[in-house]
């Protein structure tokens, strides 16, 4: 009876005073919560920083909880701008408090705008890795960077590290395997996000499965230097076009369509597909020429 009473008192105290211990916050790519949860976690981790501003872990989760609010917030743009400003402040304050920590350098890579100190964001990522090369949080950023600059050796190195870190669920790998298995030889396939891109890359590099397929992330396609090198690698004609830094959203969308058209209508007769996870970016302009063939839509003018 005494044990039951103590348990009841504990439960009542939790309900009365609310949650007091912060929880780890993951990227919304891995775990998506309600806006109120992220707001609560941000407050709790900020409280930990107020107790001890040398707590690098608290700085990191404070940033992640704040950053996630941008993606789940449905409020006006000006409210999101407030969150962006807070993110910038967290990054700078974290680096000021614990500059020699993995977390501070990693956050400088993720969120610093590079105002006049002569360092590139990638310098901070390298510093974070130097501090703790076994922290798996930075692996995906390295492999993305090396994919962008077309450094194949280091790209494959960090693909293997990221795969070993077991960050992607088995179900996603099963989906990726099935998608790749259905594509024509030497095909191009458009992807749109993290899970549908990294899972394909992992299978191609680590499992040597369908390395002939060109996995093209639509976000990376907006990077002009990356796109130029990718076209050369695939064997497509160069496209004299600047997407990154377009003067308006209308100009950006128009240039993006020109890039897609260049790939869809390539003169090498390379088959082009759109992953089912990326179809929302194409259905308005290309629905008449996209045919579902499994887990991807194949482009055809017939």
């Amino acid at each position: 009876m005494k044990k039951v009473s103590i348990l009841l008192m504990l439960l009542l105290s939790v309900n009365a005073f609310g949650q007091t211990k912060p929880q780890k916050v993951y990227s919304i790519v891995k775990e998506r919560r309600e806006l109120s949860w992220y707001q609560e976690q941000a407050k709790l981790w900020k409280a930990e920083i107020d107790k001890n501003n040398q707590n690098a872990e608290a700085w990191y989760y404070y940033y992640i909880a704040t950053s996630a609010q941008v993606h789940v917030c449905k409020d006006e743009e000006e409210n999101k701008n407030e969150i962006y400003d807070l993110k910038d402040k967290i990054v700078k304050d974290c680096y000021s408090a614990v500059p020699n920590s993995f977390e501070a350098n990693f956050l400088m890579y993720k969120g610093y705008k590079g105002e006049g100190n002569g360092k590139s964001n990638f310098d901070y990522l390298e510093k974070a890795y130097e501090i703790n090369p076994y922290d798996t949080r930075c692996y995906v950023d390295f492999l993305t960077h090396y994919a962008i600059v077309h450094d194949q050796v280091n790209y494959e190195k960090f693909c293997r590290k990221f795969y070993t870190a077991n960050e992607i669920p088995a179900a996603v790998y099963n989906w990726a395997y099935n998608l790749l298995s259905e594509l024509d030889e030497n095909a191009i396939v458009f992807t749109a996000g993290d899970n549908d891109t990294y899972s394909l890359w992992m299978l191609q590099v680590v499992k040597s499965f369908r390395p002939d397929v060109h996995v093209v992330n639509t976000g990376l396609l907006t990077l002009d230097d990356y796109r130029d090198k990718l076209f050369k690698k695939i064997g497509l004609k160069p496209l004299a076009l600047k997407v990154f830094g377009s003067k308006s959203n209308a100009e950006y969308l128009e240039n993006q369509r020109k890039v897609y058209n260049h790939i869809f209508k390539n003169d090498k007769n390379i088959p082009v597909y759109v992953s089912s996870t990326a179809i929302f970016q194409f259905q308005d302009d290309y629905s008449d020429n996209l045919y579902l063939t499994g887990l991807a839509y194949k482009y055809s003018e017939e």
Side-chain angles (χ1 to χ4, degrees), residues 19-78:
Q19 179 189 333
T20 57
K21 187 176 180 180
Q23 300 178 43
K24 289 184 177 181
V25 183
Y26 298 99
S27 163
I28 63 169
V29 173
K30 296 179 65 176
E31 179 184 77
R32 190 181 184 94
R33 301 276 197 141
E34 295 294 326
L35 175 62
S36 59
W37 186 85
Y38 290 114
Q39 292 171 331
E40 177 68 13
Q41 294 308 313
K43 291 178 183 177
L44 292 172
W45 283 113
K46 177 61 167 63
E48 294 297 310
I49 294 169
D50 292 340
K51 295 176 189 175
N52 175 19
N53 76 341
Q54 300 297 296
N55 187 339
E57 180 184 57
W59 281 109
Y60 175 77
Y61 287 121
Y62 180 34
Y63 175 86
I64 297 299
T66 302
S67 180
Q69 294 175 42
V70 175
H71 303 287
V72 298
C73 179
K74 297 179 181 178
D75 293 336
E76 297 299 323
E77 193 66 32
E78 57 195 44

Side-chain angles (χ1 to χ4, degrees), residues 215-278:
V215 179
V216 178
N217 181 278
T218 56
L220 297 186
L221 267 183
T222 64
L223 304 176
D224 299 319
D225 186 57
Y226 166 80
R227 186 180 64 252
D228 292 343
K229 292 178 180 177
L230 178 69
F231 284 0
K232 184 177 180 179
K233 177 182 177 181
I234 295 176
L236 301 181
K237 289 181 178 179
L239 182 62
L241 185 69
K242 297 294 182 184
V243 178
F244 191 78
S246 297
K247 296 178 181 179
S248 66
N249 187 57
E251 180 183 347
Y252 171 85
L253 293 175
E254 178 59 28
N255 287 338
Q256 189 179 55
R257 275 191 290 271
K258 290 178 180 178
V259 173
Y260 293 158
N261 286 335
H262 189 73
I263 296 174
F264 280 133
K265 301 174 184 293
N266 72 85
D267 61 355
K268 300 290 185 180
N269 293 320
I270 299 173
V272 182
Y273 292 82
V274 175
S275 166
S276 56
T277 55

Side-chain angles (χ1 to χ4, degrees), residues 6-287:
I6 293 173
L7 178 61
L8 180 61
M9 289 175 63
L10 288 172
L11 290 173
L12 289 173
S13 67
V14 170
N15 290 330
F17 298 105
Q19 179 189 333
T20 57
K21 187 176 180 180
Q23 300 178 43
K24 289 184 177 181
V25 183
Y26 298 99
S27 163
I28 63 169
V29 173
K30 296 179 65 176
E31 179 184 77
R32 190 181 184 94
R33 301 276 197 141
E34 295 294 326
L35 175 62
S36 59
W37 186 85
Y38 290 114
Q39 292 171 331
E40 177 68 13
Q41 294 308 313
K43 291 178 183 177
L44 292 172
W45 283 113
K46 177 61 167 63
E48 294 297 310
I49 294 169
D50 292 340
K51 295 176 189 175
N52 175 19
N53 76 341
Q54 300 297 296
N55 187 339
E57 180 184 57
W59 281 109
Y60 175 77
Y61 287 121
Y62 180 34
Y63 175 86
I64 297 299
T66 302
S67 180
Q69 294 175 42
V70 175
H71 303 287
V72 298
C73 179
K74 297 179 181 178
D75 293 336
E76 297 299 323
E77 193 66 32
E78 57 195 44
N79 293 330
K80 291 188 177 182
N81 288 335
E82 290 180 7
I83 300 174
Y84 283 123
D85 292 340
L86 178 56
K87 284 173 58 181
D88 293 341
K89 186 177 186 304
I90 294 170
V91 170
K92 293 175 182 177
D93 289 348
C94 174
Y95 192 75
S96 177
V98 283
N100 295 317
S101 66
F102 172 92
E103 287 81 2
N105 284 276
F106 187 52
L107 290 185
M108 287 292 279
Y109 165 75
K110 300 289 267 186
Y112 183 61
K113 290 185 171 54
E115 291 137 354
N117 70 347
K119 280 189 176 182
S120 71
N121 286 49
F122 188 66
D123 292 333
Y124 292 110
L125 184 62
E126 290 186 307
K127 180 63 176 178
Y129 184 71
E130 178 185 322
I131 292 169
N132 186 0
Y134 301 105
D135 195 312
T136 62
R137 286 176 289 183
C138 66
Y139 292 170
V140 72
D141 296 283
F142 271 108
L143 77 88
T144 303
H145 169 81
Y146 288 123
I148 291 172
V149 300
H150 294 274
D151 182 337
Q152 190 68 20
V153 173
N154 282 309
Y155 164 72
E156 292 184 3
K157 170 185 174 181
F158 279 95
C159 276
R160 292 188 174 90
K161 283 180 175 290
F162 184 63
Y163 181 84
T164 304
N166 199 28
E167 294 286 331
I168 298 177
V172 178
Y173 280 127
N174 290 338
W175 170 87
Y177 179 90
N178 289 331
L179 184 144
L180 286 172
S181 68
E182 298 167 348
L183 305 182
D184 290 336
E185 188 175 355
N186 298 316
I188 295 170
V189 60
F190 286 112
T191 58
D194 289 9
N195 288 333
D196 65 344
T197 301
Y198 295 132
S199 57
L200 300 177
W201 285 355
M202 294 306 106
L203 293 183
Q204 289 182 312
V205 172
V206 181
K207 298 300 182 180
S208 298
F209 182 66
R210 295 304 308 270
D212 60 293
V213 173
H214 303 286
V215 179
V216 178
N217 181 278
T218 56
L220 297 186
L221 267 183
T222 64
L223 304 176
D224 299 319
D225 186 57
Y226 166 80
R227 186 180 64 252
D228 292 343
K229 292 178 180 177
L230 178 69
F231 284 0
K232 184 177 180 179
K233 177 182 177 181
I234 295 176
L236 301 181
K237 289 181 178 179
L239 182 62
L241 185 69
K242 297 294 182 184
V243 178
F244 191 78
S246 297
K247 296 178 181 179
S248 66
N249 187 57
E251 180 183 347
Y252 171 85
L253 293 175
E254 178 59 28
N255 287 338
Q256 189 179 55
R257 275 191 290 271
K258 290 178 180 178
V259 173
Y260 293 158
N261 286 335
H262 189 73
I263 296 174
F264 280 133
K265 301 174 184 293
N266 72 85
D267 61 355
K268 300 290 185 180
N269 293 320
I270 299 173
V272 182
Y273 292 82
V274 175
S275 166
S276 56
T277 55
I279 190 60
F280 66 95
Q281 293 188 3
F282 296 87
Q283 56 191 6
D284 289 343
D285 295 325
Y286 300 98
S287 59

